């Protein structure tokens, strides 16, 4: 082996150094994820094959991805996949990249639905989700629970195409577990009839105030779809809509489970006081202690 050879170990170390200067958040991980993607192997194999040289095609494909990452493109858009909960989901530039933050909403929803199932033995739980993106939330629920009937809506036809492929990938979480998941193109809940008689409404809606979007990290503001981020002038557009509309769609004692921005608890509490029919909101922190979830129950 000559010193000039670009082995896996050498190219990873070079890329890590480059990303440390230009994209310092997780330079080693990013370098490994992109190289594993190019070589079509698990990340661990990079260590087992550390001395293996890359051929010209592999180097050129890797170089292209390094440039895009250096310009700010999120890793998940380059590899087309993101791990979420126990799943590996397809993502595209039409979908938000599912966040670890949203696992707090999934955890909370699993707890609330299990409690509901204890109180309603043998019944199918009726759920609607607003803004499904990749279908991360409903698929994660189906991975942990049974007897769910979920309708998930999104206004983006392109996002729903990706969601449909994720459903296809995870068919084993549906019929065999007595779960059903329907995807529907819909502006807000316009496609859902009050006859849906829901037990739960779940949503991780867009909640960034419009004027704050240009100030977000470049990975987010220049690459992720603004329809997935923009919560209107005060960031509360979707919460206002849900506090008003959900009572017409939910059964008595039905619940609304929402992800919220880490700094939105006070605003949400104040907004909720403008709407009748709800018990006081409860808030759930994530592992770092930031409030990320709000739950409300109809009186
Ligand atoms: C914050 S993303 C959440 C995506 C996914 N649920 C997740 O947690 O990763 C919000 C989603 O709401 C969708 N959305 C935005 N405006 C909408 C509207 N008026 N009606 C339905 N969906 C909408 C976006 O397309 C996006 O997929």
């Amino acid at each position: 082996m000559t010193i000039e050879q670009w082995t896996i170990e050498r190219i990873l170390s070079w890329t890590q150094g480059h990303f440390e200067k230009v994209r310092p958040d997780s330079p080693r991980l990013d370098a490994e994820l992109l190289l594993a993607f190019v070589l079509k192997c698990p990340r661990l194999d990079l260590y087992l094959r550390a001395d293996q040289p890359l051929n010209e095609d592999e180097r050129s494909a890797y170089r292209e991805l390094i440039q895009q990452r250096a310009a700010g493109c999120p890793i998940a858009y380059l590899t087309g996949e993101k791990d979420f909960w126990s799943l590996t989901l397809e993502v595209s530039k039409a979908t938000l990249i599912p966040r670890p933050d949203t696992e707090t909403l999934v955890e909370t929803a699993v707890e609330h639905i299990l409690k509901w199932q204890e109180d309603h033995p043998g019944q199918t739980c009726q759920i609607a989700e607003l803004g499904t993106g990749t279908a991360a939330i409903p698929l994660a629920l189906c991975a942990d629970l049974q007897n769910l009937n979920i309708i998930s809506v999104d206004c983006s036809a392109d996002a729903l195409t990706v969601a449909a492929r994720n459903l296809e990938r995870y068919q084993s979480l549906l019929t065999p577990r007595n779960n059903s998941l329907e995807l529907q193109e819909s502006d807000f809940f316009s496609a859902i009839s009050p006859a849906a008689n829901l037990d739960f409404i779940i949503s991780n809606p867009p909640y960034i105030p419009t004027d704050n979007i240009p100030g977000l990290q470049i990975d987010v503001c220049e690459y992720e779809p603004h329809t997935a981020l923009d919560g209107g002038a005060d960031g509360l557009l979707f919460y206002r809509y849900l506090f008003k509309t959900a009572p017409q769609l939910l059964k008595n004692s039905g619940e609304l489970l929402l992800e919220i921005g880490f700094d939105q608890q006070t605003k949400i509490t104040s907004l909720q006081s403008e709407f009748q029919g709800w018990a006081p909101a409860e808030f759930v922190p994530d592992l770092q202690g930031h409030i990320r979830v709000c739950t409300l129950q109809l009186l």
Side-chain angles (χ1 to χ4, degrees):
M1 186 184 82
T2 66
I3 191 86
E4 285 80 27
Q5 267 192 324
W6 282 103
T7 60
I8 286 179
E9 186 181 11
R10 186 166 167 238
I11 207 161
L12 274 179
S13 154
W14 183 89
T15 311
Q16 178 180 354
H18 180 55
F19 285 161
E20 271 163 7
K21 286 181 232 138
V22 294
R23 293 279 146 225
D25 282 355
S26 48
R28 180 70 187 192
L29 178 64
D30 290 1
E32 289 180 8
L33 285 168
L34 292 179
L35 190 54
F37 175 69
V38 167
L39 300 181
K40 300 184 181 60
C41 69
R43 256 173 69 213
L44 183 62
D45 281 16
L46 301 176
Y47 288 89
L48 304 176
R49 295 160 53 182
D51 292 334
Q52 181 186 309
L54 270 67
N55 65 35
E56 181 47 39
D57 286 350
E58 291 165 343
R59 287 210 312 270
S60 144
Y62 191 48
R63 202 178 301 122
E64 170 65 23
L65 293 175
I66 292 170
Q67 280 165 4
Q68 292 192 51
R69 175 66 196 131
C73 186
I75 294 287
Y77 288 150
L78 295 172
T79 62
E81 284 190 342
K82 178 73 182 172
D83 289 343
F84 177 80
W85 202 247
S86 54
L87 315 167
T88 300
L89 296 167
E90 179 181 330
V91 301
S92 82
K93 287 184 181 168
T95 67
L96 187 90
I97 300 166
R99 305 286 204 274
D101 302 330
T102 303
E103 293 182 341
T104 306
L105 176 61
V106 173
E107 256 165 33
T108 307
V110 167
E111 278 170 26
H112 282 237
I113 295 168
L114 278 174
K115 169 82 177 57
W116 182 94
Q117 289 183 328
E118 269 171 38
D119 296 341
H120 301 81
Q123 290 186 37
T124 298
C125 186
Q126 308 291 337
I127 302 169
E129 182 206 12
L130 176 59
T132 196
T134 54
I137 295 171
L139 284 173
L141 295 179
C142 289
D144 277 37
L145 298 166
Q146 302 191 13
N147 301 322
L148 308 180
N149 186 5
I150 309 177
I151 175 159
S152 285
V153 309
D154 206 289
C155 63
S156 161
D158 290 341
L160 288 170
T161 303
V162 174
R165 281 199 290 269
N166 283 322
L167 249 67
E168 198 53 43
R169 188 183 281 205
Y170 285 108
Q171 274 299 319
S172 59
L173 303 178
L174 301 174
T175 317
R177 303 172 62 87
N178 203 26
N179 292 324
S180 76
L181 175 48
E182 182 189 338
L183 300 173
Q184 180 84 54
E185 189 174 337
S186 174
D187 187 24
F188 292 91
F189 274 148
S190 55
I192 300 206
S193 118
N197 228 2
L198 301 166
D199 300 299
F200 290 91
I201 289 175
I202 299 179
S203 185
N204 170 21
Y207 53 69
I208 312 288
T210 310
D211 288 348
N212 294 0
I213 293 176
L216 298 174
Q217 264 189 287
I218 186 174
D219 313 35
V220 181
C221 75
E222 283 199 14
Y223 289 90
E224 299 206 70
H226 286 200
T227 38
L229 304 172
D230 192 342
D234 61 0
L236 302 177
L237 176 71
F238 287 80
Y239 304 114
R240 200 171 279 111
Y241 168 80
L242 285 167
F243 292 164
K244 180 166 179 225
T245 312
Q248 294 141 43
L249 303 176
L250 287 166
K251 287 179 193 157
N252 288 342
S253 306
E255 293 182 55
L256 185 51
L257 311 177
L258 303 169
E259 178 165 321
I260 64 170
F262 72 95
D263 56 356
Q264 286 180 319
Q265 179 179 5
T266 310
K267 283 184 184 170
I268 296 274
T269 306
S270 150
L271 180 68
Q272 193 222 330
S273 68
E274 296 171 23
F275 294 88
Q276 308 296 313
W278 298 102
E282 292 182 10
F283 294 93
V284 184
D286 62 17
L287 289 175
Q288 281 76 48
H290 301 127
I291 296 292
R292 296 316 310 252
V293 168
C294 165
T295 72
L296 292 106
Q297 186 161 29
L298 277 183
L299 290 169

